Amino acid sequence: MFESLSDRLSGVFDKLTGRGALSENDVNEAMREIRRALIEADVALPIVRSFTDKVRHRAVGAEVVKSVTPGQMVVKIVHDQLVEMLGTEGQPIDLNAPAPVAIMMVGLQGSGKTTTTAKIARRFTQRDKRKVLMASLDTRRPAAQEQLKVLGEQNEVDTLPIIEGQGPVEIANRAMSAAKLGGYDVVLLDTAGRIHIDEPLMVEMAEVKSAANPHEIILVADSLTGQDAVNLAKSFDERVGITGIALTRMDGDGRGGAALSMQAVTGKPVKLIGTGEKSDALEDFHPKRIADRILGMGDIVSLVEKAAEAIDAEQAAKMAKKMQKGHFDLDDLAEQLKQMEKLGGMSGMMGMLPGVGKMKKQIEASGLDDKMFKRQVAIIQSMTPTERKKPDLLKASRKKRIAAGSGVQVAEVNKLLKMHRQMADMMKKMGKGKGMLGKLMGGMGGGMPDVDPKQLEEMAKSGQLPDGMELPKGLPGGMPGLGAPGMPGMPGLPGLGGSKMPGLPGMGKGKKR
């Protein structure tokens, strides 16, 4: 979503950081560019004015003049100001209230309320181990209640039985009493929406609010609606009183202005962002991490959190043991490729790595897309179990059969085998304990001392990893053990950057950056 804004800002900063000293004119010119970039990103005009004024005030002041690297100081000031505009600290949904905690979901029709309700319920159930009940109060839209019921079944979350002819307030009262009797921790009330804000909608919201007395009222807004989303948030807040915002379709190619303006205009925190269609595509909103992504600084902490959720700890431990012995067959490679897909594919991961933003065009030009993972897994699946265990058996005739079976050229099969060979060699070196990766894996059962993402965030701020090691410039091929507590770690992503790494799949050897 923030790609064009990110490109524009990195262009401005490249000009600044290349200079030894900055004059007031340089800063003013940069501010003009930043202002233009924010307006193009559809950020509310009053916010743009106050943002550029604050940055200019600090950038022309003494703190930049005395700085050793004035250009980088301006980048830091813009970063700090972005974090302030987005809301300083991330605020998750608050469940600190007597059970059952009622959470009311409001918003316009088509903004993704029902889907977001199911995503939140799945998250509470699986991650927070809460007992959740969902209830649809939408009696107007055809099959709205059935939609929530189906989503509940798919995600193994209970939904309130549907009784025809009941109004929203009756359903809310029934949901609350059913939750008390059933010993539920959380009740999610999915209210009706309209195509636009009108008086009957607001009256209905107020009635539901007084009946259920919700602890949180979450406004679900479509981030692609731009400035209109800000007006929507204001209207709902004035009439119903919202406690937080969930932005959907953040994976779209909209201009991102809504996300940047929401907090500053309404004073209400953005709590969650929807990053895709799947039921697990929901993330907590962390202002600092979003600012990092916009300014091309990457987001290692979110990548690690994703890894902790997506990767099976037992599988990772088995893989780590095999790696320590220097074993790495094609089945292991297929497992790695599937895990990378789970982490959002190559584009999703690349967006979170520091400094990769500028390489996006080269990566796209190299044909490195997420379909490539599927192709490579298909090639491996076209082999016999023996061939996967012993790739040396693959001579010309077998390669032809595998290529025909997976619908690719023989050259693709050769590329995959070359990548596997490079990775297997690296695993052997790691097993023998050569270099930094070897030290990290040595004696740890295949993982660094377990690092909590919060600790990692603190370390990233100071530029340090445990025991005073520098945070690597590119992730090593195989992030050994940057996992959540009790998780032996990610068992090696296929060579993402770093020196002497085998390079990205299908791109030959990785160059030292």
Side-chain angles (χ1 to χ4, degrees):
M1 166 153 282
F2 299 113
E3 257 177 41
S4 58
L5 175 62
S6 194
D7 290 348
R8 288 290 301 271
L9 291 179
S10 68
V12 176
F13 296 142
D14 284 348
K15 284 181 198 167
L16 289 180
T17 47
R19 300 188 183 178
L22 291 185
S23 66
E24 196 167 329
N25 281 346
D26 293 335
V27 173
N28 286 337
E29 192 186 328
M31 287 308 109
R32 269 199 301 277
E33 288 291 320
I34 290 170
R35 182 192 174 97
R36 203 172 296 149
L38 289 171
I39 289 170
E40 277 179 20
D42 211 6
V43 178
L45 200 58
I47 305 298
V48 175
R49 283 201 190 110
S50 95
F51 181 85
T52 46
D53 286 349
K54 283 175 185 171
V55 173
R56 182 185 284 109
H57 175 70
R58 290 180 61 188
V60 177
E63 59 187 294
V64 168
V65 179
K66 286 179 185 169
S67 169
V68 184
T69 51
Q72 285 172 355
M73 196 68 199
V74 173
V75 177
K76 185 188 181 303
I77 290 169
V78 171
H79 178 268
D80 292 348
Q81 225 34 68
L82 259 179
V83 173
E84 192 181 304
M85 178 164 86
L86 291 165
T88 319
E89 284 298 320
Q91 294 185 33
I93 290 179
D94 179 25
L95 295 180
N96 190 16
V101 181
I103 296 169
M104 183 172 153
M105 309 293 287
V106 299
L108 293 186
Q109 198 171 309
S111 58
K113 255 195 327 296
T114 305
T115 316
T116 305
T117 304
K119 284 181 180 180
I120 293 171
R122 179 184 192 273
R123 195 186 180 109
F124 284 156
T125 307
Q126 295 191 356
R127 196 185 71 172
D128 302 332
K129 303 290 181 270
R130 302 293 174 112
K131 193 178 179 190
V132 182
L133 176 70
M134 296 194 292
S136 174
L137 278 57
D138 191 347
T139 53
R140 293 170 175 272
R141 184 164 63 90
Q145 292 177 302
E146 279 78 8
Q147 183 192 353
L148 193 70
K149 185 184 168 199
V150 169
L151 287 168
E153 285 165 4
Q154 286 172 354
N155 294 299
E156 297 175 5
V157 177
D158 295 341
T159 48
L160 189 74
I162 300 163
I163 295 178
E164 293 296 325
Q166 281 198 333
V169 177
E170 285 175 279
I171 299 171
N173 284 328
R174 186 159 60 89
M176 293 313 291
S177 52
K180 280 171 192 160
L181 292 169
Y184 286 91
D185 300 312
V186 182
V187 183
L188 286 164
L189 303 171
D190 177 27
T191 63
R194 301 281 194 284
I195 293 164
H196 55 84
I197 293 167
D198 60 9
E199 193 55 32
L201 170 70
M202 289 307 179
V203 170
E204 186 181 298
M205 295 297 111
E207 285 173 353
V208 171
K209 182 184 173 180
S210 60
N213 190 21
H215 183 59
E216 288 255 24
I217 300 176
I218 304 291
L219 171 70
V220 181
D222 184 344
S223 58
L224 300 186
T225 52
Q227 279 311 289
D228 207 35
V230 176
N231 302 330
L232 168 82
K234 267 181 165 173
S235 305
F236 267 100
D237 190 33
E238 282 161 13
R239 293 299 301 270
V240 188
I242 59 174
T243 58
I245 299 161
L247 284 174
T248 58
R249 295 210 277 187
M250 287 289 284
D251 55 325
D253 54 0
R255 290 174 293 178
L260 295 173
S261 314
M262 279 290 198
Q263 161 83 25
V265 171
T266 61
K268 302 293 186 234
V270 177
K271 297 200 169 196
L272 294 162
I273 51 175
T275 54
E277 293 292 321
K278 290 182 181 170
S279 55
D280 59 349
L282 189 73
E283 287 180 22
D284 289 324
F285 184 81
H286 294 280
K288 186 190 173 297
R289 299 186 200 176
I290 297 285
D292 285 351
R293 284 192 219 180
I294 293 172
L295 298 183
M297 296 173 184
D299 186 0
I300 296 285
V301 184
S302 288
L303 184 60
V304 170
E305 284 181 349
K306 260 190 170 182
E309 285 174 25
I311 288 167
D312 181 352
E314 276 181 45
Q315 190 84 28
K318 279 182 198 163
M319 182 89 81
K321 275 182 187 163
K322 282 183 83 172
M323 283 180 188
Q324 275 196 304
K325 290 174 185 168
H327 298 317
F328 185 76
D329 59 28
L330 285 157
D331 280 324
D332 298 330
L333 178 58
E335 192 58 41
Q336 299 253 304
L337 293 167
K338 284 176 192 165
Q339 283 184 1
M340 281 183 80
E341 256 193 292
K342 271 189 198 170
L343 292 176
M346 188 55 80
S347 54
M349 285 175 52
M350 289 309 227
M352 293 187 180
L353 298 180
V356 177
K358 292 177 185 173
M359 293 162 45
K360 267 185 186 160
K361 289 190 177 77
Q362 289 131 285
I363 291 166
E364 279 164 23
S366 68
L368 188 72
D369 60 3
D370 296 341
K371 287 178 191 163
M372 186 195 69
F373 289 136
K374 288 189 170 69
R375 279 201 302 276
Q376 291 182 327
V377 171
I379 293 169
I380 295 170
Q381 285 172 342
S382 298
M383 299 173 187
T384 66
T386 316
E387 286 168 346
R388 281 179 229 157
K389 291 270 180 290
K390 297 177 183 173
D392 298 341
L393 295 173
L394 296 173
K395 300 293 179 261
S397 58
R398 291 189 186 226
K399 283 179 189 173
K400 269 187 192 168
R401 189 203 79 237
I402 291 161
S406 52
V408 298
Q409 301 293 318
V410 176
E412 291 265 342
V413 180
N414 286 332
K415 247 188 218 174
L416 177 85
L417 291 171
K418 184 182 177 187
M419 182 177 91
H420 169 258
R421 223 174 15 253
Q422 289 172 337
M423 287 182 72
D425 290 347
M426 186 180 74
M427 296 309 163
K428 274 179 193 156
K429 279 182 192 169
M430 280 165 63
K432 286 173 189 166
K434 287 183 185 174
M436 185 185 87
L437 287 173
K439 283 174 199 157
L440 282 176
M441 292 198 72
M444 296 299 305
M448 214 166 74
D450 292 321
V451 181
D452 181 5
K454 278 182 186 150
Q455 279 177 284
L456 191 68
E457 192 154 19
E458 291 304 314
M459 292 172 202
K461 280 178 192 167
S462 62
Q464 294 286 308
L465 276 177
D467 304 327
M469 292 182 324
E470 285 295 312
L471 200 64
K473 295 287 182 282
L475 280 184
M479 287 166 57
L482 293 181
M487 194 189 96
M490 282 167 64
L493 302 170
L496 290 178
S499 57
K500 295 184 184 168
M501 294 298 150
L504 296 165
M507 275 180 77
K509 291 199 173 183
K511 288 178 185 168
K512 202 167 181 177
R513 286 191 184 88

